[in-house]
Amino acid sequence: RKFRITCQEIPNMAKEECAQCGAHFSLFKWKHHCESCNKLHCADCLGSFQISNIGVSAPKVCRRCYPTFDKRAGVPTPGPVGAGKTRVAVVGYSSSAHYTRANNVAVLLVEEFPDKYEYWTHAGDRSDFFVWLAGWKESLSSDSSFQKHASSPICWLEKEDGKIEVLGGRDKLVEWVTVTHAGSKADKKGDSFLNPFETFLRVESS
């Protein structure tokens, strides 16, 4: 089930107190619903458990639901990288156009250079992706530029020895392909996905 719901689906909208702490709602204490259990909570009981660092689209869950909700975001762990190869990994959510485009570029790259690359992709529910993304950021250093990444997909390269190079979103994957394999099928496909502004930047930098 999708966790993004509308107010009409919340059966207890008339409730006047927080489901956890019992505080009464008022002009200064607003109602917020948990996107897992649908119960109403005050900002203190819900906001502090909002999934952090993932932008304004973050799902909001309450204190009681957070542990369960977090487990729903499981992204399978890929096996070891093949000998002598580099893995191109793409993780996003299935309704994301940019995920689909990045996935297409990765597939073409592997088809054209099967001895050098393999690919691993995963696309699940939108809310689950953002929960996973928040957990993934915890593995990065606090000053990493990718702490600000807040969209689908996230792409990275993984070597046989386990070393990982994070690229970023679909646009960064396309840029990397252009630098490393200019003129390839993957490069041409990626170039067709660029929006006018990105195309302008590419022309200016060439």
Side-chain angles (χ1 to χ4, degrees):
R1 164 175 167 79
K2 300 284 185 180
F3 291 97
R4 188 68 53 183
I5 60 178
T6 64
C7 290
Q8 286 78 9
E9 294 180 84
I10 305 173
N12 56 356
M13 229 16 220
K15 294 286 186 180
E16 295 299 331
E17 59 186 33
C18 174
Q20 285 197 42
C21 70
H24 288 277
F25 298 124
S26 67
L27 179 64
F28 302 103
K29 190 173 287 290
W30 292 9
K31 299 176 181 180
H32 302 271
H33 76 274
C34 170
E35 296 188 38
S36 181
C37 67
N38 287 0
K39 294 180 180 180
L40 293 176
H41 302 78
C42 64
D44 293 334
C45 292
L46 188 73
S48 59
F49 290 88
Q50 181 175 352
I51 310 304
S52 61
N53 299 325
I54 55 178
V56 296
S57 298
K60 295 180 180 179
V61 291
C62 67
R63 184 194 307 267
R64 292 171 183 165
C65 291
Y66 181 84
T68 303
F69 190 91
D70 192 55
K71 292 175 183 176
R72 293 173 185 161
V75 172
T77 301
V81 179
K85 293 187 177 182
T86 296
R87 173 180 291 151
V88 181
V90 181
V91 177
Y93 56 87
S94 56
S95 61
S96 164
H98 289 309
Y99 164 79
T100 301
R101 292 166 178 170
N103 182 62
N104 289 342
V105 170
V107 169
L108 286 174
L109 187 69
V110 173
E111 288 180 350
E112 195 165 359
F113 305 101
D115 295 332
K116 297 182 64 176
Y117 299 102
E118 63 182 41
Y119 74 93
W120 179 82
T121 66
H122 178 78
D125 179 83
R126 182 176 184 274
S127 295
D128 284 354
F129 166 72
F130 285 123
V131 176
W132 171 86
L133 183 62
W136 177 79
K137 288 180 180 179
E138 293 177 359
S139 67
L140 305 177
S141 62
S142 58
D143 59 349
S144 170
S145 61
F146 297 104
Q147 290 290 353
K148 297 181 180 180
H149 190 86
S151 60
S152 168
I154 183 72
C155 310
W156 68 86
L157 306 175
E158 187 174 354
K159 300 290 187 179
E160 184 181 358
D161 60 4
K163 292 183 179 179
I164 292 177
E165 177 187 354
V166 182
L167 299 176
R170 180 270 312 166
D171 56 330
K172 298 303 181 182
L173 174 62
V174 171
E175 288 179 10
W176 173 78
V177 170
T178 297
V179 171
T180 56
H181 297 290
S184 65
K185 293 179 181 178
D187 176 40
K188 293 176 181 177
K189 188 70 171 179
D191 190 55
S192 70
F193 290 146
L194 295 178
N195 62 45
F197 181 67
E198 291 172 329
T199 303
F200 169 77
L201 292 178
R202 175 173 290 193
V203 171
E204 287 292 299
S205 61
S206 60

